[in-house]
């Protein structure tokens, strides 16, 4: 009896047939990939591979799920509304590139339709978007009128509600939707948000829907409490499986009081927030971008917050060569101290006086100006002795500015 014959008598053992000779394998006709695996890799000219189908910036990608994470009250809903208008109108309202002629479906699961109308119309009014620019390309629904439940948790585990998924697919395909925005994610299911296995099933179902319908899906998610620390995409409330299923993740953070002071906006009641793309599998991690919530007044008397682009001010905004020359003249020969701990002897007080800045409110900006002038050679640091014969770093004129 051969070894193969002995194995055939043992339960649950599969006997492999002898491998085909190499010549026979190589001469075999090609077959349908769906019939068997593995599939041999065949090199392609890179120029022939389609570029990734980005739809909005480097965040929304066709056939993929993206996630936006933010604490409450920062402006995530207003941000996604403005982005939806940008995509539907084909205009870069917030400075991000967008594909043109996109059809966008905003499915807000919390707010009533009147509130959504206020926000959308205020955003259109603020950004100058005319109704005809988005006609037939922006769709808006609310969970107050039609709830959305993609999954439930039973005693037997998580159950995906297939009729709900199929209904979404039918509507997406019938309307030719390119981007679906679901806000917030937690209201789109009824499973434990702390159960990684359950959230993994729900998130992957959204990914399958994006692939099935050839669209991009944006899931808006709340953060857990961060105790005053900046949030990351991993700060999303509940299980981490949602972020794991996404191909792009970004987080919004409200500007802190210290940053407001540094930026010189501490007297402005508007909300400022940063967008950081810190999870991106298919594109480089993006740099931090800033947005401001502008207050827009509607004809009915309501005031509505609308997201707009805001750039971090450059320390040299409004500073000319003539201003530098005036600073040099004021510092020349005075031997004023470099350290901002020097009290009245700090050179920054003179800089503030010349430039009409507050040495308290604009302290960080003044220090940045001094450092940059030191790097450029317009100022130089010298060691001078004080009244106690102690050597202290002081500022003197380096290379004079062109007059």
């Amino acid at each position: 009896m051969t070894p193969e014959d002995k194995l055939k008598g043992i339960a649950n053992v599969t006997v492999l047939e002898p491998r085909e000779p190499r010549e026979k394998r190589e001469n075999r006709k090609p077959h349908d990939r769906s019939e068997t695996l593995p599939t041999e890799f065949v090199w392609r000219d890179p120029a022939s591979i389609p570029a990734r189908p980005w739809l909005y910036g480097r965040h929304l990608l066709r056939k993929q799920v993206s996630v936006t994470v933010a604490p409450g009250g920062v402006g995530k809903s207003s941000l996604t509304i403005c982005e939806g208008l940008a995509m539907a109108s084909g205009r870069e309202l917030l400075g991000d590139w967008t594909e043109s002629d996109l059809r966008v479906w905003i499915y807000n699961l919390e707010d009533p339709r009147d509130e959504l109308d206020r926000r959308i119309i205020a955003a259109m009014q603020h950004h100058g978007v005319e109704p005809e620019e988005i006609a037939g390309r922006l769709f808006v629904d609310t969970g107050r009128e039609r709830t959305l439940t993609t999954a439930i948790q039973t005693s037997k585990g998580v159950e995906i509600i297939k009729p709900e998924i199929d209904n979404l697919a039918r509507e997406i395909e019938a309307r030719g939707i390119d981007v679906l925005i679901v806000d917030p994610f937690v209201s789109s299911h009824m499973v434990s948000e702390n159960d990684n296995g359950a959230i993994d099933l729900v998130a992957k179902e959204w990914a399958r829907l994006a692939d099935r319908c050839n669209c991009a899906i944006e899931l808006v998610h709340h953060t857990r409490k961060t105790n005053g620390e900046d949030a990351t995409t991993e700060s999303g409330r509940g299980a981490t499986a949602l972020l794991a299923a996404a191909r792009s993740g970004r987080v919004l953070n409200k500007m802190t009081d210290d940053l407001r002071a540094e930026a010189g906006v501490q007297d402005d009641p508007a909300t400022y927030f940063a967008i950081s793309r810190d999870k991106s599998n298919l594109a480089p991690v993006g740099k931090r971008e800033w947005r401001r919530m502008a207050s827009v007044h509607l004809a009915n008397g309501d005031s509505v917050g609308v997201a707009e682009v805001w750039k971090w001010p450059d320390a040299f905004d409004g500073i000319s060569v003539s201003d530098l020359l005036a600073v040099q003249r004021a510092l020349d020969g005075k031997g004023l101290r470099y350290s901002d701990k020097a009290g009245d002897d700090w050179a920054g007080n003179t800089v503030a006086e010349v430039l009409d800045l507050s040495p308290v409110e604009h302290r960080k900006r003044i220090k940045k100006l001094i450092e940059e002038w030191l790097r450029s050679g317009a100022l130089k640091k010298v060691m001078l002795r004080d009244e106690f014969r102690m050597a202290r770093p002081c500022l003197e004129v380096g290379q004079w500015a062109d007059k």
Side-chain angles (χ1 to χ4, degrees):
M1 181 180 292
T2 66
E4 289 80 4
D5 291 334
K6 292 180 181 179
L7 289 173
K8 288 179 180 179
I10 302 175
N12 299 323
V13 173
T14 300
V15 178
L16 297 177
E17 295 296 330
R19 194 179 187 192
E20 290 180 323
R22 182 186 181 108
E23 296 79 7
K24 186 175 181 180
R25 294 199 312 271
E26 292 178 347
N27 293 328
R28 194 167 47 204
K29 293 181 179 180
H31 52 267
D32 189 337
R33 289 184 181 182
S34 63
E35 293 179 0
T36 184
L37 296 174
T39 302
E40 181 182 357
F41 169 77
V42 178
W43 187 89
R44 298 168 62 182
D45 180 353
S48 70
I49 302 174
R52 289 185 178 124
W54 294 104
L55 298 181
Y56 187 80
R58 286 298 180 265
H59 180 59
L60 295 180
L61 184 65
R62 201 178 288 280
K63 292 192 173 186
Q64 302 288 358
V65 167
S66 299
V67 173
T68 294
V69 179
V74 170
K76 56 184 178 297
S77 295
S78 296
L79 174 68
T80 53
I81 283 173
C82 286
E83 292 176 338
L85 285 170
M87 290 182 278
S89 65
R91 293 170 53 189
E92 298 179 9
L93 302 181
L94 298 177
D96 294 307
W97 173 88
T98 178
E99 183 64 82
S100 59
D101 298 325
L102 295 178
R103 293 191 171 199
V104 181
W105 183 8
I106 298 175
Y107 205 155
N108 185 296
L109 302 176
E110 289 185 333
D111 297 314
R113 185 168 293 277
D114 282 349
E115 180 59 28
L116 293 174
D117 287 347
R118 287 187 196 95
R119 293 182 179 185
I120 293 171
I121 292 172
M124 292 176 66
Q125 179 178 307
H126 184 66
H127 290 290
V129 178
E130 299 297 331
E132 56 269 21
E133 293 184 75
I134 60 170
R137 288 197 295 276
L138 182 65
F139 303 85
V140 182
D141 285 285
T142 166
R144 298 287 187 96
E145 297 173 358
R146 171 54 163 89
T147 59
L148 177 63
T149 304
T150 59
I152 59 174
Q153 199 146 14
T154 68
S155 57
K156 296 181 180 179
V158 176
E159 178 183 344
I160 300 296
I161 310 302
K162 289 294 184 182
E164 189 79 275
I165 299 297
D166 291 340
N167 181 62
L168 284 172
R170 280 194 300 271
E171 295 301 327
I172 291 171
E173 291 169 352
R175 304 281 186 170
I177 300 297
D178 299 290
V179 177
L180 169 62
I181 300 171
V182 179
D183 180 14
F185 167 70
V186 68
S187 297
S188 71
H189 63 81
M190 296 181 65
V191 306
S192 172
E193 65 178 0
N194 294 310
D195 186 333
N196 253 313
I199 295 299
D200 181 62
L201 289 173
V202 176
K204 286 181 177 175
E205 193 63 39
W206 280 114
R208 278 190 287 271
L209 181 65
D211 185 73
R212 171 182 174 182
C213 297
N214 192 36
C215 68
I217 295 180
E218 167 91 290
L219 301 176
V220 181
H221 192 40
H222 296 293
T223 62
R224 59 178 180 270
K225 292 182 179 179
T226 60
N227 298 319
E229 298 293 327
D230 271 359
T232 69
T233 49
E234 295 182 353
S235 302
R237 205 168 72 183
T240 60
L242 173 61
L243 182 62
R247 286 296 170 265
S248 176
R250 61 181 181 175
V251 61
L252 314 185
N253 277 295
K254 189 175 180 180
M255 185 185 288
T256 64
D257 290 340
D258 286 345
L259 287 176
R260 288 176 69 89
E262 183 177 344
V265 297
Q266 64 268 37
D267 296 328
D268 187 342
T271 296
Y272 293 78
F273 63 91
I275 304 174
S276 301
R277 195 177 70 245
D278 60 357
K279 197 268 184 180
S280 186
N281 294 353
L282 302 178
V285 173
K287 64 179 181 179
R288 184 165 62 173
E289 298 176 348
W290 290 95
R291 300 288 182 263
R292 177 182 181 273
M293 293 296 291
S295 183
V296 177
H297 298 283
L298 298 181
N300 67 351
D302 287 335
S303 181
V304 182
V306 174
E308 65 179 10
V309 173
W310 183 80
K311 293 185 178 180
W312 189 271
D314 188 291
F316 283 87
D317 285 346
I319 306 297
S320 66
V321 174
S322 296
D323 292 323
L324 169 57
L325 183 59
V327 167
Q328 288 178 317
R329 286 171 174 164
L331 293 176
D332 187 31
K334 301 296 192 307
L336 294 174
R337 297 267 295 277
Y338 164 76
S339 173
D340 64 335
K341 304 294 191 299
D344 293 340
D345 289 334
W346 179 42
N349 293 320
T350 298
V351 174
E353 183 179 355
V354 171
L355 301 180
D356 195 22
L357 299 174
S358 166
V360 176
E361 294 180 3
H362 300 98
R363 198 174 198 84
K364 289 186 177 181
R365 182 184 182 188
I366 293 167
K367 291 172 67 176
K368 286 183 178 179
L369 290 171
I370 291 173
E371 293 303 322
E372 185 58 36
W373 283 328
L374 285 170
R375 278 192 291 270
S376 68
L379 296 178
K380 62 182 179 180
K381 198 183 299 184
V382 297
M383 299 301 293
L384 299 177
R385 295 188 181 277
D386 61 14
E387 64 270 25
F388 304 106
R389 306 298 296 169
M390 296 289 293
R392 306 288 189 185
C394 299
L395 293 181
E396 286 291 349
V397 177
Q399 181 178 354
W400 284 92
D402 293 334
K403 300 180 182 180

